[in-house]
Amino acid sequence: MAVRPNSTFLTITTIFSLLILSSNSQQLSTSYYQKSCPRFDQIMQETTTNKQINSPTTAAAALRLFFHDCLVGGCDASVLISSTHFNTAERDADINLSLPGDGFDVVVRAKTALELACPGVVSCADILAVATRNLLTMTGGPFYDVRLGRRDGKVSKASLVEGNLPRPTMSIEKLISIFASRGFSVQEMVALSGAHTIGLSHCSEFASEIYNFSRTSEFDPSFNRRYAEGLRSACRDYRRNPSLSVFNDLMTPRNFDNAYFQNLPKGLGVLKSDRALVMDPRTKVFVDLYAKDQKRFFEDFGRAMEKLSLVGVKSGRNGEIRRRCDSFN
């Protein structure tokens, strides 16, 4: 029997998270840079467009980077900080070592252009939030508002990461707990999981499920058989090549759509945590909903992303406007 998370603890932490979100997010505005950096929108659009055209994996990379930033200490660009001799930063936590370089690169490019246009004005946290939204819309995803005025965090420690980010091997119970502690419902969690409709997963993340799975099966039987055989073939050299990856969405890998949800009931989910969504009644109902109704998925995903972008935002002395996104001032 699955152990349910402590409801009192989740209620307290959820209320606390929402209070922080509410107080800081009230200071944000979609027109925040209208006077201080009038070309902000233009520079961001040009930078993200050029980067995505030249590197089509950038949208998925930025989206993953944004998730990994916001779920650990809030949306404060702390994941961008480089480690030093005195501090091991978030980006060097084991789960972040596979974050694609394109996500970091698009932020650096935008920061460089914005520093030339309006020095010391735009935070790296705002750049990452807007870049993610712009890139998602380029791949066909929904447009949603991004309120601006975040400051960059002053803390980035690898030790704060463990247990705060979803892992492919986590149970549904644990995943629900992680998102609930930040004020997200089960439905919002499932909607956000739809981000896997674009991007890649490393073979090492699911190798144990497609090779020598058990005495009776070479692969996890929750996989579609032909799909598992294809993955086994594609990943056979993963030990020699740790960067070997496959698309999360077999059908429309570069389009942001609801194919991810349509794939799951067919056993076409790459990660164990993806396939688990159709095995738990609490999450399956929303998988079925989004598989049938892309419009509803887009609406719910957009609202959930707006909400995610406001988690743990910093303001005033709690943050700074970094001169470089990879180091504190």
Side-chain angles (χ1 to χ4, degrees):
M1 180 180 296
V3 178
R4 295 189 179 279
N6 185 294
S7 59
T8 303
F9 172 76
L10 288 183
T11 301
I12 292 172
T13 53
T14 297
I15 292 173
F16 181 68
S17 298
L18 290 174
L19 286 173
I20 294 175
L21 185 153
S22 177
S23 62
N24 286 341
S25 63
Q26 287 176 358
Q27 303 174 37
L28 305 185
S29 165
T30 55
S31 58
Y32 187 84
Y33 295 114
Q34 191 169 23
K35 293 182 179 179
S36 59
C37 192
R39 294 186 59 231
F40 171 78
D41 288 331
Q42 178 189 348
I43 290 172
M44 286 301 305
Q45 192 61 58
E46 289 175 354
T47 304
T48 50
T49 298
N50 291 337
K51 178 64 179 174
Q52 179 67 13
I53 289 173
N54 291 316
S55 301
T57 59
T58 302
L63 181 57
R64 188 173 175 216
L65 188 64
F66 184 65
F67 268 83
H68 283 228
D69 182 43
C70 293
L71 291 177
V72 179
C75 304
D76 61 357
S78 54
V79 74
L80 304 177
I81 293 292
S82 296
S83 295
T84 66
H85 291 299
F86 309 103
N87 178 57
T88 303
E90 285 177 33
R91 68 191 292 175
D92 285 322
D94 67 332
I95 194 173
N96 286 335
L97 293 176
S98 61
L99 287 172
D102 283 332
F104 293 96
D105 185 60
V106 71
V107 175
V108 170
R109 291 179 183 224
K111 178 65 171 176
T112 301
L114 286 164
E115 283 298 301
L116 291 173
C118 35
V121 172
V122 182
S123 69
C124 301
D126 277 347
I127 291 172
L128 178 56
V130 173
T132 300
R133 191 273 313 279
N134 289 0
L135 289 160
L136 277 174
T137 59
M138 284 190 68
T139 61
F143 179 90
Y144 54 90
D145 288 328
V146 177
R147 283 189 269 171
L148 304 167
R150 298 167 188 76
R151 285 183 173 262
D152 299 320
K154 297 179 178 180
V155 175
S156 180
K157 294 184 179 295
S159 59
L160 301 177
V161 174
E162 186 58 39
N164 287 308
L165 290 175
R167 288 184 179 270
T169 55
M170 280 182 177
S171 66
I172 289 294
E173 204 71 46
K174 179 60 177 175
L175 294 174
I176 290 175
S177 175
I178 286 177
F179 281 91
S181 68
R182 288 153 183 79
F184 289 92
S185 67
V186 173
Q187 182 168 4
E188 288 170 329
M189 183 195 78
V190 176
L192 290 172
S193 298
H196 282 175
T197 193
I198 57 174
L200 301 158
S201 288
H202 287 88
C203 292
S204 58
E205 294 181 281
F206 55 89
S208 62
E209 296 152 43
I210 59 173
Y211 298 113
N212 303 315
F213 178 73
S214 69
R215 291 182 178 180
T216 57
S217 178
E218 281 290 317
F219 53 85
D220 186 333
S222 65
F223 277 113
N224 174 287
R225 173 174 287 277
R226 290 183 63 187
Y227 184 49
E229 291 170 351
L231 291 175
R232 284 165 58 82
S233 176
C235 293
R236 61 178 175 269
D237 292 327
Y238 81 96
R239 294 187 187 278
R240 286 187 294 177
N241 182 7
S243 64
L244 205 58
S245 306
V246 298
F247 286 116
N248 289 327
D249 174 7
L250 177 69
M251 301 303 180
T252 56
R254 298 193 186 279
N255 298 336
F256 195 96
D257 53 26
N258 68 334
Y260 164 81
F261 294 107
Q262 296 174 348
N263 291 340
L264 295 184
K266 303 171 185 175
L268 301 178
V270 176
L271 301 176
K272 183 178 181 180
S273 55
D274 292 329
R275 300 191 306 280
L277 292 176
V278 292
M279 299 177 188
D280 190 298
R282 291 170 295 180
T283 51
K284 184 180 185 300
V285 62
F286 301 118
V287 172
D288 293 342
L289 171 64
Y290 297 143
K292 295 175 183 176
D293 191 342
Q294 179 169 282
K295 183 174 181 292
R296 178 64 185 274
F297 164 50
F298 276 21
E299 290 172 352
D300 291 354
F301 181 83
R303 280 193 293 267
M305 285 296 289
E306 281 189 55
K307 185 173 177 177
L308 178 65
S309 73
L310 301 176
V311 169
V313 294
K314 308 296 187 297
S315 60
R317 294 182 178 179
N318 291 326
E320 63 183 8
I321 305 296
R322 289 186 210 140
R323 289 184 289 272
R324 287 178 50 123
C325 289
D326 62 351
S327 62
F328 302 120
N329 290 343

